[in-house]
Amino acid sequence: MNPETHVLLLDVDGVLVTPPEWFGARLLREHPQQTRDFFQTAFVSASTGQSDLKDHLPAFLKALGRDQTPGDFLAEWLASEHHPNPDLLPLVRALRMRGWRTFLATNQEAWRTAHLLDVVGLGEVVDGHHASYAVGHRKPDPAYYAEVTRRLNVAPTQIVFWDDSEQNVQAAQAAGWQAHLYTSPADFQQVMGLD
């Protein structure tokens, strides 16, 4: 693969960021129904750019019985997932030094995307992002892959994509991308020719 003609897209959760426990998983364990409702409605709206996540938090916090401000709740959420993958990031940096244009390809709303880039430090290893809130669609919707391909202005076959979701990988392959299931930094290193 020629880095001058190919683009690298990377999922975030489970790939570039690997916390010991997801904040949403903890909420789901503690408040299953309220958390499911939130992530199936409000979060989908925010992560497709239709609304601001913070506008949904007062009602969610009330449903959870939490006495927190939306800002404090969001800060707790973001801090709990501040775990960049220490073994993968150097490999991504090495690819960029070889000339790869690299972007985040993640189902994400605006607040966490900014946090990932500016605070977690992913902005130092990528050229930009194609977060779902900015694209207007979420993986594995075919519209997500079509719109990202259009924005990159390259042939689908020139896009190399890594995700830890088999469903997202299969949808990307159906869109013509060179998509790989992420399992480990070692596998990534081998496939990307960094051995």
PDB file of all heavy atoms in Angstrom, residues 98-129:
ATOM      1  N   ARG A  98       5.695   8.067   7.611  1.00  0.00           N
ATOM      2  CA  ARG A  98       5.912   7.478   6.282  1.00  0.00           C
ATOM      3  C   ARG A  98       5.029   8.124   5.216  1.00  0.00           C
ATOM      4  O   ARG A  98       5.097   7.757   4.049  1.00  0.00           O
ATOM      5  CB  ARG A  98       5.647   5.978   6.320  1.00  0.00           C
ATOM      6  CG  ARG A  98       6.648   5.184   7.143  1.00  0.00           C
ATOM      7  CD  ARG A  98       6.388   3.695   6.994  1.00  0.00           C
ATOM      8  NE  ARG A  98       7.315   2.896   7.793  1.00  0.00           N
ATOM      9  CZ  ARG A  98       7.401   1.578   7.742  1.00  0.00           C
ATOM     10  NH1 ARG A  98       6.602   0.897   6.917  1.00  0.00           N
ATOM     11  NH2 ARG A  98       8.263   0.924   8.504  1.00  0.00           N
ATOM     12  N   GLY A  99       4.157   9.023   5.627  1.00  0.00           N
ATOM     13  CA  GLY A  99       3.341   9.753   4.668  1.00  0.00           C
ATOM     14  C   GLY A  99       1.866   9.432   4.658  1.00  0.00           C
ATOM     15  O   GLY A  99       1.115   9.949   3.824  1.00  0.00           O
ATOM     16  N   TRP A 100       1.409   8.575   5.591  1.00  0.00           N
ATOM     17  CA  TRP A 100      -0.006   8.241   5.639  1.00  0.00           C
ATOM     18  C   TRP A 100      -0.825   9.425   6.156  1.00  0.00           C
ATOM     19  O   TRP A 100      -0.502   9.997   7.196  1.00  0.00           O
ATOM     20  CB  TRP A 100      -0.249   7.050   6.560  1.00  0.00           C
ATOM     21  CG  TRP A 100       0.111   5.732   5.960  1.00  0.00           C
ATOM     22  CD1 TRP A 100       1.343   5.140   5.942  1.00  0.00           C
ATOM     23  CD2 TRP A 100      -0.777   4.829   5.299  1.00  0.00           C
ATOM     24  NE1 TRP A 100       1.271   3.918   5.308  1.00  0.00           N
ATOM     25  CE2 TRP A 100      -0.014   3.702   4.890  1.00  0.00           C
ATOM     26  CE3 TRP A 100      -2.144   4.873   5.004  1.00  0.00           C
ATOM     27  CZ2 TRP A 100      -0.570   2.632   4.218  1.00  0.00           C
ATOM     28  CZ3 TRP A 100      -2.697   3.800   4.320  1.00  0.00           C
ATOM     29  CH2 TRP A 100      -1.921   2.698   3.929  1.00  0.00           C
ATOM     30  N   ARG A 101      -1.899   9.758   5.433  1.00  0.00           N
ATOM     31  CA  ARG A 101      -2.917  10.665   5.982  1.00  0.00           C
ATOM     32  C   ARG A 101      -3.817   9.815   6.859  1.00  0.00           C
ATOM     33  O   ARG A 101      -4.316   8.775   6.427  1.00  0.00           O
ATOM     34  CB  ARG A 101      -3.728  11.325   4.867  1.00  0.00           C
ATOM     35  CG  ARG A 101      -2.980  12.414   4.137  1.00  0.00           C
ATOM     36  CD  ARG A 101      -3.925  13.221   3.268  1.00  0.00           C
ATOM     37  NE  ARG A 101      -4.588  12.396   2.267  1.00  0.00           N
ATOM     38  CZ  ARG A 101      -5.854  12.553   1.868  1.00  0.00           C
ATOM     39  NH1 ARG A 101      -6.625  13.477   2.404  1.00  0.00           N
ATOM     40  NH2 ARG A 101      -6.371  11.775   0.941  1.00  0.00           N
ATOM     41  N   THR A 102      -4.048  10.259   8.082  1.00  0.00           N
ATOM     42  CA  THR A 102      -4.722   9.424   9.077  1.00  0.00           C
ATOM     43  C   THR A 102      -5.854  10.202   9.747  1.00  0.00           C
ATOM     44  O   THR A 102      -5.669  11.362  10.129  1.00  0.00           O
ATOM     45  CB  THR A 102      -3.703   8.960  10.139  1.00  0.00           C
ATOM     46  OG1 THR A 102      -2.617   8.300   9.478  1.00  0.00           O
ATOM     47  CG2 THR A 102      -4.335   8.000  11.123  1.00  0.00           C
ATOM     48  N   PHE A 103      -7.010   9.536   9.898  1.00  0.00           N
ATOM     49  CA  PHE A 103      -8.187  10.188  10.467  1.00  0.00           C
ATOM     50  C   PHE A 103      -8.912   9.249  11.427  1.00  0.00           C
ATOM     51  O   PHE A 103      -8.875   8.032  11.264  1.00  0.00           O
ATOM     52  CB  PHE A 103      -9.175  10.583   9.358  1.00  0.00           C
ATOM     53  CG  PHE A 103      -8.614  11.541   8.351  1.00  0.00           C
ATOM     54  CD1 PHE A 103      -7.936  11.076   7.227  1.00  0.00           C
ATOM     55  CD2 PHE A 103      -8.761  12.912   8.522  1.00  0.00           C
ATOM     56  CE1 PHE A 103      -7.410  11.950   6.297  1.00  0.00           C
ATOM     57  CE2 PHE A 103      -8.242  13.800   7.587  1.00  0.00           C
ATOM     58  CZ  PHE A 103      -7.558  13.321   6.472  1.00  0.00           C
ATOM     59  N   LEU A 104      -9.592   9.843  12.404  1.00  0.00           N
ATOM     60  CA  LEU A 104     -10.500   9.077  13.242  1.00  0.00           C
ATOM     61  C   LEU A 104     -11.752   8.769  12.444  1.00  0.00           C
ATOM     62  O   LEU A 104     -12.254   9.606  11.698  1.00  0.00           O
ATOM     63  CB  LEU A 104     -10.896   9.877  14.492  1.00  0.00           C
ATOM     64  CG  LEU A 104      -9.789  10.392  15.401  1.00  0.00           C
ATOM     65  CD1 LEU A 104     -10.404  11.097  16.612  1.00  0.00           C
ATOM     66  CD2 LEU A 104      -8.873   9.271  15.837  1.00  0.00           C
ATOM     67  N   ALA A 105     -12.280   7.565  12.610  1.00  0.00           N
ATOM     68  CA  ALA A 105     -13.550   7.155  11.990  1.00  0.00           C
ATOM     69  C   ALA A 105     -14.367   6.516  13.098  1.00  0.00           C
ATOM     70  O   ALA A 105     -14.271   5.309  13.343  1.00  0.00           O
ATOM     71  CB  ALA A 105     -13.309   6.191  10.840  1.00  0.00           C
ATOM     72  N   THR A 106     -15.180   7.324  13.787  1.00  0.00           N
ATOM     73  CA  THR A 106     -15.765   6.903  15.051  1.00  0.00           C
ATOM     74  C   THR A 106     -17.210   7.369  15.203  1.00  0.00           C
ATOM     75  O   THR A 106     -17.569   8.440  14.704  1.00  0.00           O
ATOM     76  CB  THR A 106     -14.924   7.468  16.225  1.00  0.00           C
ATOM     77  OG1 THR A 106     -15.517   7.161  17.472  1.00  0.00           O
ATOM     78  CG2 THR A 106     -14.743   8.982  16.116  1.00  0.00           C
ATOM     79  N   ASN A 107     -18.021   6.558  15.867  1.00  0.00           N
ATOM     80  CA  ASN A 107     -19.369   6.986  16.239  1.00  0.00           C
ATOM     81  C   ASN A 107     -19.240   7.825  17.505  1.00  0.00           C
ATOM     82  O   ASN A 107     -19.044   7.293  18.596  1.00  0.00           O
ATOM     83  CB  ASN A 107     -20.279   5.780  16.504  1.00  0.00           C
ATOM     84  CG  ASN A 107     -20.667   5.071  15.222  1.00  0.00           C
ATOM     85  OD1 ASN A 107     -20.618   5.648  14.137  1.00  0.00           O
ATOM     86  ND2 ASN A 107     -21.055   3.819  15.321  1.00  0.00           N
ATOM     87  N   GLN A 108     -19.329   9.145  17.336  1.00  0.00           N
ATOM     88  CA  GLN A 108     -18.990  10.043  18.433  1.00  0.00           C
ATOM     89  C   GLN A 108     -19.757  11.347  18.332  1.00  0.00           C
ATOM     90  O   GLN A 108     -20.017  11.839  17.234  1.00  0.00           O
ATOM     91  CB  GLN A 108     -17.489  10.343  18.342  1.00  0.00           C
ATOM     92  CG  GLN A 108     -16.808  10.579  19.639  1.00  0.00           C
ATOM     93  CD  GLN A 108     -16.769   9.321  20.482  1.00  0.00           C
ATOM     94  OE1 GLN A 108     -17.490   9.245  21.479  1.00  0.00           O
ATOM     95  NE2 GLN A 108     -15.980   8.328  20.099  1.00  0.00           N
ATOM     96  N   GLU A 109     -20.087  11.899  19.504  1.00  0.00           N
ATOM     97  CA  GLU A 109     -20.696  13.230  19.518  1.00  0.00           C
ATOM     98  C   GLU A 109     -19.583  14.281  19.660  1.00  0.00           C
ATOM     99  O   GLU A 109     -18.418  13.953  19.843  1.00  0.00           O
ATOM    100  CB  GLU A 109     -21.769  13.325  20.606  1.00  0.00           C
ATOM    101  CG  GLU A 109     -21.332  12.948  21.992  1.00  0.00           C
ATOM    102  CD  GLU A 109     -20.554  14.052  22.663  1.00  0.00           C
ATOM    103  OE1 GLU A 109     -20.932  15.225  22.511  1.00  0.00           O
ATOM    104  OE2 GLU A 109     -19.562  13.748  23.351  1.00  0.00           O
ATOM    105  N   ALA A 110     -19.970  15.557  19.602  1.00  0.00           N
ATOM    106  CA  ALA A 110     -18.980  16.625  19.466  1.00  0.00           C
ATOM    107  C   ALA A 110     -18.100  16.822  20.699  1.00  0.00           C
ATOM    108  O   ALA A 110     -16.891  17.054  20.575  1.00  0.00           O
ATOM    109  CB  ALA A 110     -19.687  17.937  19.128  1.00  0.00           C
ATOM    110  N   TRP A 111     -18.678  16.748  21.909  1.00  0.00           N
ATOM    111  CA  TRP A 111     -17.896  17.019  23.115  1.00  0.00           C
ATOM    112  C   TRP A 111     -16.779  15.999  23.303  1.00  0.00           C
ATOM    113  O   TRP A 111     -15.637  16.355  23.588  1.00  0.00           O
ATOM    114  CB  TRP A 111     -18.804  17.032  24.349  1.00  0.00           C
ATOM    115  CG  TRP A 111     -19.741  18.194  24.371  1.00  0.00           C
ATOM    116  CD1 TRP A 111     -21.063  18.198  24.013  1.00  0.00           C
ATOM    117  CD2 TRP A 111     -19.441  19.549  24.749  1.00  0.00           C
ATOM    118  NE1 TRP A 111     -21.599  19.450  24.129  1.00  0.00           N
ATOM    119  CE2 TRP A 111     -20.633  20.302  24.589  1.00  0.00           C
ATOM    120  CE3 TRP A 111     -18.295  20.189  25.195  1.00  0.00           C
ATOM    121  CZ2 TRP A 111     -20.686  21.671  24.877  1.00  0.00           C
ATOM    122  CZ3 TRP A 111     -18.354  21.539  25.481  1.00  0.00           C
ATOM    123  CH2 TRP A 111     -19.535  22.269  25.324  1.00  0.00           C
ATOM    124  N   ARG A 112     -17.104  14.722  23.151  1.00  0.00           N
ATOM    125  CA  ARG A 112     -16.065  13.713  23.358  1.00  0.00           C
ATOM    126  C   ARG A 112     -15.050  13.731  22.216  1.00  0.00           C
ATOM    127  O   ARG A 112     -13.862  13.484  22.438  1.00  0.00           O
ATOM    128  CB  ARG A 112     -16.666  12.316  23.515  1.00  0.00           C
ATOM    129  CG  ARG A 112     -15.586  11.287  23.852  1.00  0.00           C
ATOM    130  CD  ARG A 112     -16.126  10.039  24.513  1.00  0.00           C
ATOM    131  NE  ARG A 112     -15.038   9.124  24.828  1.00  0.00           N
ATOM    132  CZ  ARG A 112     -14.796   7.988  24.172  1.00  0.00           C
ATOM    133  NH1 ARG A 112     -15.598   7.602  23.189  1.00  0.00           N
ATOM    134  NH2 ARG A 112     -13.780   7.230  24.514  1.00  0.00           N
ATOM    135  N   THR A 113     -15.489  14.043  21.007  1.00  0.00           N
ATOM    136  CA  THR A 113     -14.530  14.137  19.904  1.00  0.00           C
ATOM    137  C   THR A 113     -13.475  15.194  20.206  1.00  0.00           C
ATOM    138  O   THR A 113     -12.271  14.954  20.045  1.00  0.00           O
ATOM    139  CB  THR A 113     -15.252  14.469  18.584  1.00  0.00           C
ATOM    140  OG1 THR A 113     -16.206  13.444  18.297  1.00  0.00           O
ATOM    141  CG2 THR A 113     -14.266  14.566  17.427  1.00  0.00           C
ATOM    142  N   ALA A 114     -13.910  16.360  20.666  1.00  0.00           N
ATOM    143  CA  ALA A 114     -12.967  17.430  21.009  1.00  0.00           C
ATOM    144  C   ALA A 114     -12.041  16.990  22.139  1.00  0.00           C
ATOM    145  O   ALA A 114     -10.837  17.257  22.113  1.00  0.00           O
ATOM    146  CB  ALA A 114     -13.731  18.690  21.401  1.00  0.00           C
ATOM    147  N   HIS A 115     -12.596  16.292  23.137  1.00  0.00           N
ATOM    148  CA  HIS A 115     -11.800  15.806  24.265  1.00  0.00           C
ATOM    149  C   HIS A 115     -10.751  14.796  23.786  1.00  0.00           C
ATOM    150  O   HIS A 115      -9.582  14.851  24.207  1.00  0.00           O
ATOM    151  CB  HIS A 115     -12.731  15.157  25.298  1.00  0.00           C
ATOM    152  CG  HIS A 115     -12.019  14.615  26.495  1.00  0.00           C
ATOM    153  ND1 HIS A 115     -11.662  15.390  27.566  1.00  0.00           N
ATOM    154  CD2 HIS A 115     -11.597  13.360  26.793  1.00  0.00           C
ATOM    155  CE1 HIS A 115     -11.051  14.644  28.477  1.00  0.00           C
ATOM    156  NE2 HIS A 115     -11.002  13.407  28.027  1.00  0.00           N
ATOM    157  N   LEU A 116     -11.157  13.896  22.915  1.00  0.00           N
ATOM    158  CA  LEU A 116     -10.229  12.891  22.392  1.00  0.00           C
ATOM    159  C   LEU A 116      -9.064  13.536  21.647  1.00  0.00           C
ATOM    160  O   LEU A 116      -7.908  13.143  21.799  1.00  0.00           O
ATOM    161  CB  LEU A 116     -10.963  11.927  21.463  1.00  0.00           C
ATOM    162  CG  LEU A 116     -11.930  10.949  22.122  1.00  0.00           C
ATOM    163  CD1 LEU A 116     -12.871  10.336  21.077  1.00  0.00           C
ATOM    164  CD2 LEU A 116     -11.179   9.852  22.869  1.00  0.00           C
ATOM    165  N   LEU A 117      -9.369  14.545  20.856  1.00  0.00           N
ATOM    166  CA  LEU A 117      -8.339  15.204  20.066  1.00  0.00           C
ATOM    167  C   LEU A 117      -7.432  16.080  20.923  1.00  0.00           C
ATOM    168  O   LEU A 117      -6.204  16.034  20.799  1.00  0.00           O
ATOM    169  CB  LEU A 117      -8.982  16.041  18.963  1.00  0.00           C
ATOM    170  CG  LEU A 117      -9.713  15.259  17.862  1.00  0.00           C
ATOM    171  CD1 LEU A 117     -10.531  16.204  17.002  1.00  0.00           C
ATOM    172  CD2 LEU A 117      -8.725  14.482  16.998  1.00  0.00           C
ATOM    173  N   ASP A 118      -8.034  16.870  21.818  1.00  0.00           N
ATOM    174  CA  ASP A 118      -7.287  17.917  22.516  1.00  0.00           C
ATOM    175  C   ASP A 118      -6.730  17.492  23.870  1.00  0.00           C
ATOM    176  O   ASP A 118      -5.688  17.982  24.293  1.00  0.00           O
ATOM    177  CB  ASP A 118      -8.176  19.150  22.715  1.00  0.00           C
ATOM    178  CG  ASP A 118      -8.700  19.704  21.401  1.00  0.00           C
ATOM    179  OD1 ASP A 118      -8.037  19.506  20.362  1.00  0.00           O
ATOM    180  OD2 ASP A 118      -9.777  20.331  21.410  1.00  0.00           O
ATOM    181  N   VAL A 119      -7.436  16.608  24.577  1.00  0.00           N
ATOM    182  CA  VAL A 119      -7.025  16.234  25.933  1.00  0.00           C
ATOM    183  C   VAL A 119      -6.365  14.854  25.951  1.00  0.00           C
ATOM    184  O   VAL A 119      -5.273  14.681  26.507  1.00  0.00           O
ATOM    185  CB  VAL A 119      -8.219  16.286  26.913  1.00  0.00           C
ATOM    186  CG1 VAL A 119      -7.769  15.916  28.328  1.00  0.00           C
ATOM    187  CG2 VAL A 119      -8.861  17.676  26.903  1.00  0.00           C
ATOM    188  N   VAL A 120      -7.022  13.875  25.335  1.00  0.00           N
ATOM    189  CA  VAL A 120      -6.439  12.527  25.276  1.00  0.00           C
ATOM    190  C   VAL A 120      -5.183  12.537  24.400  1.00  0.00           C
ATOM    191  O   VAL A 120      -4.269  11.750  24.612  1.00  0.00           O
ATOM    192  CB  VAL A 120      -7.475  11.506  24.768  1.00  0.00           C
ATOM    193  CG1 VAL A 120      -6.872  10.113  24.638  1.00  0.00           C
ATOM    194  CG2 VAL A 120      -8.678  11.472  25.720  1.00  0.00           C
ATOM    195  N   GLY A 121      -5.143  13.447  23.435  1.00  0.00           N
ATOM    196  CA  GLY A 121      -3.944  13.595  22.622  1.00  0.00           C
ATOM    197  C   GLY A 121      -4.012  12.956  21.259  1.00  0.00           C
ATOM    198  O   GLY A 121      -3.003  12.902  20.544  1.00  0.00           O
ATOM    199  N   LEU A 122      -5.193  12.472  20.858  1.00  0.00           N
ATOM    200  CA  LEU A 122      -5.277  11.825  19.548  1.00  0.00           C
ATOM    201  C   LEU A 122      -5.050  12.813  18.407  1.00  0.00           C
ATOM    202  O   LEU A 122      -4.673  12.411  17.302  1.00  0.00           O
ATOM    203  CB  LEU A 122      -6.633  11.122  19.387  1.00  0.00           C
ATOM    204  CG  LEU A 122      -6.930  10.003  20.387  1.00  0.00           C
ATOM    205  CD1 LEU A 122      -8.218   9.284  19.997  1.00  0.00           C
ATOM    206  CD2 LEU A 122      -5.770   9.013  20.500  1.00  0.00           C
ATOM    207  N   GLY A 123      -5.263  14.102  18.686  1.00  0.00           N
ATOM    208  CA  GLY A 123      -5.006  15.114  17.668  1.00  0.00           C
ATOM    209  C   GLY A 123      -3.556  15.168  17.229  1.00  0.00           C
ATOM    210  O   GLY A 123      -3.239  15.678  16.149  1.00  0.00           O
ATOM    211  N   GLU A 124      -2.662  14.617  18.067  1.00  0.00           N
ATOM    212  CA  GLU A 124      -1.238  14.607  17.735  1.00  0.00           C
ATOM    213  C   GLU A 124      -0.870  13.453  16.799  1.00  0.00           C
ATOM    214  O   GLU A 124       0.240  13.439  16.251  1.00  0.00           O
ATOM    215  CB  GLU A 124      -0.411  14.506  19.014  1.00  0.00           C
ATOM    216  CG  GLU A 124      -0.595  15.685  19.951  1.00  0.00           C
ATOM    217  CD  GLU A 124       0.080  15.471  21.287  1.00  0.00           C
ATOM    218  OE1 GLU A 124       0.815  14.457  21.434  1.00  0.00           O
ATOM    219  OE2 GLU A 124      -0.133  16.298  22.192  1.00  0.00           O
ATOM    220  N   VAL A 125      -1.779  12.473  16.644  1.00  0.00           N
ATOM    221  CA  VAL A 125      -1.444  11.319  15.810  1.00  0.00           C
ATOM    222  C   VAL A 125      -2.355  11.173  14.587  1.00  0.00           C
ATOM    223  O   VAL A 125      -2.193  10.233  13.812  1.00  0.00           O
ATOM    224  CB  VAL A 125      -1.467   9.991  16.628  1.00  0.00           C
ATOM    225  CG1 VAL A 125      -0.419  10.030  17.715  1.00  0.00           C
ATOM    226  CG2 VAL A 125      -2.837   9.711  17.199  1.00  0.00           C
ATOM    227  N   VAL A 126      -3.311  12.106  14.427  1.00  0.00           N
ATOM    228  CA  VAL A 126      -4.173  12.055  13.240  1.00  0.00           C
ATOM    229  C   VAL A 126      -4.227  13.435  12.579  1.00  0.00           C
ATOM    230  O   VAL A 126      -3.907  14.451  13.195  1.00  0.00           O
ATOM    231  CB  VAL A 126      -5.615  11.593  13.583  1.00  0.00           C
ATOM    232  CG1 VAL A 126      -5.619  10.167  14.110  1.00  0.00           C
ATOM    233  CG2 VAL A 126      -6.292  12.538  14.564  1.00  0.00           C
ATOM    234  N   ASP A 127      -4.641  13.435  11.326  1.00  0.00           N
ATOM    235  CA  ASP A 127      -4.768  14.678  10.570  1.00  0.00           C
ATOM    236  C   ASP A 127      -6.134  15.325  10.746  1.00  0.00           C
ATOM    237  O   ASP A 127      -6.322  16.482  10.368  1.00  0.00           O
ATOM    238  CB  ASP A 127      -4.528  14.403   9.082  1.00  0.00           C
ATOM    239  CG  ASP A 127      -3.116  13.895   8.837  1.00  0.00           C
ATOM    240  OD1 ASP A 127      -2.177  14.687   9.002  1.00  0.00           O
ATOM    241  OD2 ASP A 127      -2.959  12.708   8.500  1.00  0.00           O
ATOM    242  N   GLY A 128      -7.086  14.579  11.294  1.00  0.00           N
ATOM    243  CA  GLY A 128      -8.435  15.097  11.471  1.00  0.00           C
ATOM    244  C   GLY A 128      -9.366  13.954  11.834  1.00  0.00           C
ATOM    245  O   GLY A 128      -8.925  12.883  12.241  1.00  0.00           O
ATOM    246  N   HIS A 129     -10.664  14.196  11.686  1.00  0.00           N
ATOM    247  CA  HIS A 129     -11.623  13.162  12.073  1.00  0.00           C
ATOM    248  C   HIS A 129     -12.808  13.120  11.127  1.00  0.00           C
ATOM    249  O   HIS A 129     -13.118  14.106  10.444  1.00  0.00           O
ATOM    250  CB  HIS A 129     -12.115  13.399  13.509  1.00  0.00           C
ATOM    251  CG  HIS A 129     -13.041  14.576  13.655  1.00  0.00           C
ATOM    252  ND1 HIS A 129     -14.396  14.495  13.391  1.00  0.00           N
ATOM    253  CD2 HIS A 129     -12.812  15.857  14.032  1.00  0.00           C
ATOM    254  CE1 HIS A 129     -14.960  15.673  13.602  1.00  0.00           C
ATOM    255  NE2 HIS A 129     -14.028  16.517  13.988  1.00  0.00           N
TER     256      HIS A 129
END
